[in-house]
Amino acid sequence: MTDALAPTTATVPQERRIVTAVPGPRSVALHERRASVVARGVSSMLPVYIERAHGAILVDVDGNQFIDLGAGIGVTTIGHTDDAVIAAATVQLEHLTHSLFTITPYESYVQVAELLAAHTPGDFAKKTVLVNSGAEAVENGVKIARKYTGRNGVGVLDHAYHGRTNLTMAMNYKASPYNTGFGPFAGDVYRAPSSYPFHDGLNGADAAARTIAHLEKTVGATDLACLVVEPIQGEGGFMVPAEGYLPALQEWCTANGIVFIADEIQCGMARTGRYFASEHFGLVPDLMLSAKGIAGGLPLAGVTGRAEIMDAAQPGGLGGTFGGNPVSAAAAVAVFEQIESQGLLAEADRIESVLKPALLSLQKKYPIIGDVRGIGAMLAIELVTPGTHEPDAATVAAISAFAAQHGVLLLTAGTYGNVLRFLPSLAISDELLLDAIAVIDEAFAAR
Ligand SMILES: *Cc1c(COP(=O)(O)O)cnc(C)c1O
């Protein structure tokens, strides 16, 4: 297992290929080693050990090739080992890996801040702080909103997922496995009903009235520092809110001095055919949280927003040792450049135009598929007992397992564990998408 890897630029044929059992013998051996040294709390959905990847294909240590429909949960959005990202990160590695922006700064951090200011919604002065992870971006967004407003309350929605740190655990909807046993949790977090059209049947105005009434009753607008929403919820199951829901929430926030924070850690960065999903809903968040897809697989996250809110934090109040690391920042600049020069926003639309009709025709064939939803390269199907809204998590697990055995990495999601989510990289070809759909069709037929 210590063999030197061939040059990383070696091409990976963009095709599915299974040559051993899944997992294969080398993965099984690694998994045994892992079991004695890696904490049990860090679980792996599919214990195949990945050796390399390119575009939309993952290659494991046994030489199996998987069509990647998850992109590391929406991280390698512009494709695995994108040539421009590798080149930019490599040059940066040779020049400077760390100096600490809060000690002696460097240009790439400033470039990322300029790019985020240019590409997040809103025609006003914006500023950014860069951090290491999505959860850290959420923490900082809340911290800044509290400082700006002088208030404590944090509003969140049902089915939300915001991370695994103490404050973000308190903000998650689903306790198990994220929060169970890890308390006590941060206080002053207030959760309200969301818009989940497949389950609640409410139009946007009614759903928003319900959310607002709940928050007014349980905390009161004058005690809320911020409302944090995922415009399209990720871990919760890719719910696209009813039309008008999110704008009504933003309007209420603005009218009441509540900082409106969009957590676009999963749905942002070109995933839905726009730089940020907020654009689909006409939202102009006060603060935008980005992470996952921003740096082509390197760890980077940011809070970007109205200059006057961001500047509420005192000098020295924001930062962290690794935040905005030079190599991650250089990679992020390359990601923005690739999105622009390769016209990648249109690729998300292409993926939707291939995948959505394919999923809708599967729904016609298999009434267990209760709902098909999503935008761009962020689509999902929700499985239920046919004719009802009863979640069917067991079938979701079976379909995902069948797909893996046949070389398709298909992630699950959903508060009830009954959602299959499709968030491939924008580099995936129509051919690979249709090949993956054929496998998933077989999986439904074989159940
Ligand atoms: C993944 C995710 C987070 C947490 O990001 P980490 O980098 O894992 O800390 C927060 N919010 C949303 C919407 C996410 O999808």
Side-chain angles (χ1 to χ4, degrees):
M1 231 41 76
T2 51
D3 317 354
L5 294 173
T8 47
T9 48
T11 54
V12 173
Q14 295 296 292
E15 63 192 27
R16 178 168 66 91
R17 194 171 64 129
I18 293 299
V19 295
T20 69
V22 175
R26 302 184 100 194
S27 278
V28 169
L30 277 170
H31 208 54
E32 277 163 17
R33 276 170 57 196
R34 169 239 184 91
S36 54
V37 287
V38 177
R40 188 175 70 106
V42 190
S43 55
S44 296
M45 183 192 113
L46 180 66
V48 302
Y49 285 69
I50 302 302
E51 185 204 72
R52 66 175 66 224
H54 189 69
I57 295 289
L58 292 164
V59 186
D60 76 9
V61 289
D62 293 288
N64 297 304
Q65 299 200 172
F66 296 84
I67 300 176
D68 184 7
L69 295 181
I73 315 198
V75 169
T76 53
T77 302
I78 71 165
H80 288 284
T81 59
D82 177 83
D83 293 342
V85 170
I86 302 271
T90 304
V91 167
Q92 184 60 52
L93 262 174
E94 287 166 348
H95 284 75
L96 175 75
T97 57
H98 180 80
S99 69
L100 217 178
F101 195 79
T102 59
I103 305 278
T104 48
Y106 42 87
E107 183 178 357
S108 53
Y109 189 117
V110 180
Q111 282 179 292
V112 174
E114 287 167 347
L115 288 162
L116 283 166
H119 292 293
T120 47
D123 191 13
F124 41 74
K126 292 175 206 146
K127 296 203 176 180
T128 286
V129 56
L130 296 178
V131 290
N132 301 297
S133 70
E136 207 185 342
V138 177
E139 294 259 358
N140 278 277
V142 169
K143 194 166 130 174
I144 294 163
R146 282 176 165 163
K147 180 82 193 205
Y148 175 72
T149 57
R151 305 172 180 177
N152 296 335
V154 178
V156 292
L157 297 178
D158 286 355
H159 309 290
Y161 177 79
H162 297 293
R164 296 176 192 270
T165 56
N166 186 261
L167 172 62
T168 57
M169 281 192 292
M171 296 167 68
N172 293 337
Y173 177 73
K174 190 169 160 177
S176 174
Y178 309 124
N179 305 353
T180 306
F182 298 138
F185 301 108
D188 278 317
V189 174
Y190 302 88
R191 182 171 299 102
S194 56
S195 170
Y196 192 165
F198 178 62
H199 281 278
D200 63 32
L202 295 179
N203 66 34
D206 290 348
R210 182 176 67 169
T211 303
I212 291 166
H214 187 92
L215 289 171
E216 281 180 340
K217 196 59 80 189
T218 56
V219 49
T222 56
D223 275 353
L224 272 181
C226 57
L227 176 63
V228 187
V229 306
E230 300 159 80
I232 300 174
Q233 292 183 316
E235 301 306 301
F238 287 19
M239 291 79 113
V240 179
E243 201 183 328
Y245 174 74
L246 292 171
L249 293 190
Q250 168 148 41
E251 208 173 295
W252 175 73
C253 286
T254 304
N256 289 282
I258 300 162
V259 177
F260 184 78
I261 304 182
D263 177 348
E264 292 223 23
I265 288 164
Q266 195 158 154
C267 63
M269 281 308 284
R271 173 72 30 210
T272 66
R274 306 285 170 88
Y275 273 97
F276 291 94
S278 285
E279 293 171 51
H280 291 289
F281 308 103
L283 299 177
V284 181
D286 297 315
L287 299 182
M288 174 69 78
L289 311 179
S290 46
K292 292 196 162 90
I294 191 176
L298 280 88
L300 188 71
V303 184
T304 302
R306 291 181 182 274
E308 68 274 19
I309 299 178
M310 293 298 295
D311 280 344
Q314 66 280 15
L318 304 178
T321 304
F322 291 117
N325 169 269
V327 181
S328 295
V333 172
V335 167
F336 274 104
E337 283 170 3
Q338 286 291 78
I339 292 171
E340 213 56 39
S341 68
Q342 307 298 307
L344 295 183
L345 298 179
E347 296 302 301
D349 298 337
R350 169 185 62 82
I351 289 165
E352 178 175 346
S353 76
V354 172
L355 205 46
K356 208 166 207 177
L359 295 173
L360 288 166
S361 54
L362 283 183
Q363 186 184 30
K364 285 220 177 71
K365 244 165 118 174
Y366 306 110
I368 189 174
I369 301 176
D371 195 26
V372 176
R373 59 180 178 249
I375 302 177
M378 186 172 188
L379 303 177
I381 56 180
E382 177 164 349
L383 304 197
V384 292
T385 307
T388 74
H389 289 79
E390 269 313 301
D392 185 344
T395 303
V396 156
I399 302 285
S400 171
F402 181 103
Q405 292 299 318
H406 293 79
V408 176
L409 184 67
L410 176 59
L411 306 186
T412 63
T415 294
Y416 313 110
N418 67 327
V419 174
L420 289 163
R421 61 175 145 177
F422 299 78
L423 64 171
S425 90
L426 303 178
I428 197 168
S429 65
D430 292 358
E431 202 183 355
L432 281 182
L433 282 172
L434 294 173
D435 185 30
I437 286 290
V439 169
I440 293 162
D441 192 344
E442 260 181 73
F444 277 104
R447 113 201 99 92

